[in-house]
Amino acid sequence: MTAALRSIITPTAILRLVLGWGVFIALQFMGSLLAPPVPLPLLVTALLVIIAVILICAFGVVTEAEHLADRLGDPYGSLVLTISICLIEVILIAAVLLGPGDHATIARDSVMAVSMIILNAVIGLCLLVGGLRHGALTHNRTGVSNYLVMIVVFAALAFAVPALIGTPDGAYEIWQEIPIIVVTVGAYAFFLYRQMGPQAHEFTEAAPVGAAAASSSSNAGTSHPSPAEAAVEADDEPQGIVEILSTHRMEIILRLVLLVATVLPIVLLSHDMATLLDDGLSRLGAPVALSGVVIAMIVFLPETLTSLRAAWNGEIQRVSNLCHGAQVSTVGLTIPTVLVIGMLTDQQIVLAESPINLALLAITLLVSVIGFAAKRVTAVQGAAHIIIFVVFGLALFA
């Protein structure tokens, strides 16, 4: 037990926690000094320190996520990281809504930024990296199709439908919010049930890199395994998720706690960094909306690093589980939460997007559906997603 604990709570893990939480606490004590306008030397120094600490913590999150993924297998391992980060992102948005000031569009802007980052920047880079290193990669088309169906429906409910049936400002009427909340939560819960239960096999790697060669070489001979060999192979079959949780309960719990404890400073520091970024961008004359994109990129940095490493290893289905799963969870958790908060606090929640963002989102979904409908994905499709993200960046300055 002690040896297992030491293998999880390592000196490096402790150092990451001390750095992350220590810098966050220090920033709270420096609140008055970091109130805008911040002196330029202090502004630059604070931003560099925050970004450095976030990067250090992000590598810790990636480490724990990979240990959990190896122990639990997909889709469970990827789901742990995805839901952890998305839940914290939802809590962060909820905290802003419950704070002072008017934040009618915070959910829309945040979710749109996250959507474009995940579906274009991260997936584009992953397809580019994986495609250039391994060539065309085979994914589990049924699993990806399930993700994309949910993404299209949730995106329509969040960004398009409010403009057509809601108020002139692009918000749902009170009587419309309740059925939207119910169907979104119900659909998301049903999706998770199917993903973790009857359809779990549809979210595993379709053809791991090197599997085809191994399969062809094993099929070259005509001999059949002996009864003893067959018994050994049966013993080597993967454990079920219930058996894994029962056998490795303590390890999984400790790694989950460590993962969340390392993710929290990233999100909290990103929230503190927003004020500094707004101050710096205003001095540069850059659009304030750019800070939301930067914050979203920072918050999802651990998932981005994990996805890129999976792409580097040729695990394209894990990339889909992380990225498409994050998109489904972000919208499926955020929209119902902000609508409930809006109803309880009598705030109007504006969700309808601008025509340019709706067009870019529609193009993104079209490219995703066409690309992942094929048996294999390639680096060319990754380049297309990156182009869309670049145009999204240009639209911020328009």
Side-chain angles (χ1 to χ4, degrees):
M1 176 63 184
T2 305
L5 186 62
R6 288 177 180 174
S7 68
I8 298 172
I9 311 298
T10 62
T12 303
I14 295 173
L15 178 61
R16 290 190 184 107
L17 290 174
V18 170
L19 278 175
W21 287 103
V23 170
F24 170 70
I25 293 171
L27 288 176
Q28 306 315 300
F29 283 106
M30 295 174 59
S32 58
L33 294 176
L34 297 178
V38 183
L40 187 58
L42 180 59
L43 176 66
V44 174
T45 302
L47 282 174
L48 289 176
V49 170
I50 291 174
I51 291 172
V53 172
I54 285 175
L55 287 172
I56 292 171
C57 290
F59 282 108
V61 173
V62 171
T63 300
E64 296 308 317
E66 290 184 339
H67 282 302
L68 284 169
D70 290 338
R71 176 63 69 195
L72 298 174
D74 266 341
Y76 311 105
S78 300
L79 197 60
V80 168
L81 176 61
T82 295
I83 292 186
S84 298
I85 293 178
C86 289
L87 278 174
I88 295 171
E89 174 73 6
V90 170
I91 292 170
L92 185 60
I93 294 173
V96 174
L97 279 174
L98 294 171
D102 181 18
H103 305 286
T105 63
I106 180 67
R108 180 196 69 186
D109 297 340
S110 299
V111 175
M112 175 55 71
V114 168
S115 300
M116 300 307 287
I117 290 167
I118 293 174
L119 296 178
N120 288 315
V122 181
I123 286 183
L125 286 173
C126 288
L127 293 181
L128 201 59
V129 169
L132 290 176
R133 188 163 193 257
H134 300 287
L137 292 166
T138 303
H139 56 285
N140 197 324
R141 286 192 288 179
T142 305
V144 178
S145 174
N146 285 323
Y147 281 129
L148 293 177
V149 165
M150 298 303 297
I151 290 172
V152 170
V153 172
F154 284 171
L157 291 177
F159 302 123
V161 176
L164 301 175
I165 67 172
T167 67
D169 295 330
Y172 281 116
E173 301 279 2
I174 295 294
W175 65 272
Q176 296 170 335
E177 291 180 348
I178 295 175
I180 293 296
I181 292 170
V182 171
V183 298
T184 302
V185 172
Y188 180 65
F190 182 69
F191 173 80
L192 286 184
Y193 161 70
R194 298 295 298 182
Q195 183 185 19
M196 293 187 293
Q199 295 180 236
H201 63 283
E202 296 172 357
F203 298 88
T204 57
E205 293 294 335
V209 174
S215 176
S216 62
S217 62
S218 65
N219 291 333
T222 57
S223 61
H224 297 284
S226 66
E229 290 172 337
V232 171
E233 289 177 2
D235 290 338
D236 291 338
E237 288 182 0
Q239 293 177 300
I241 186 62
V242 175
E243 187 178 354
I244 292 173
L245 291 174
S246 175
T247 307
H248 306 282
R249 183 190 308 111
M250 186 55 63
E251 177 193 351
I252 292 170
I253 291 174
L254 286 174
R255 290 200 182 280
L256 279 173
V257 171
L258 184 57
L259 185 147
V260 173
T262 312
V263 164
L264 272 172
I266 295 176
V267 180
L268 295 172
L269 287 172
S270 300
H271 183 53
D272 289 337
M273 191 172 65
T275 304
L276 298 174
L277 273 177
D278 287 343
D279 188 13
L281 291 173
S282 63
R283 297 183 191 184
L284 295 174
V288 177
L290 186 60
S291 66
V293 176
V294 175
I295 298 301
M297 293 177 72
I298 294 294
V299 169
F300 280 86
L301 181 61
E303 198 147 10
T304 300
L305 294 176
T306 307
S307 300
L308 285 172
R309 185 168 294 185
W312 181 259
N313 294 331
E315 300 168 338
I316 200 63
Q317 184 58 43
R318 189 167 182 224
V319 171
S320 176
N321 290 342
L322 288 163
C323 296
H324 292 136
Q327 177 65 17
V328 172
S329 298
T330 298
V331 185
L333 292 172
T334 302
I335 299 305
T337 301
V338 298
L339 289 179
V340 169
I341 292 175
M343 293 171 62
L344 295 177
T345 60
D346 198 25
Q347 294 185 65
Q348 185 182 56
I349 305 297
V350 177
L351 294 175
E353 262 295 353
S354 64
I356 179 60
N357 282 344
L358 278 178
L360 289 174
L361 183 60
I363 294 170
T364 298
L365 296 176
L366 181 61
V367 170
S368 298
V369 170
I370 293 174
F372 283 94
K375 291 183 178 180
R376 296 179 179 85
V377 289
T378 68
V380 173
Q381 294 161 3
H385 282 287
I386 291 174
I387 290 172
I388 299 172
F389 184 74
V390 171
V391 176
F392 173 70
L394 295 176
L396 290 176
F397 292 88

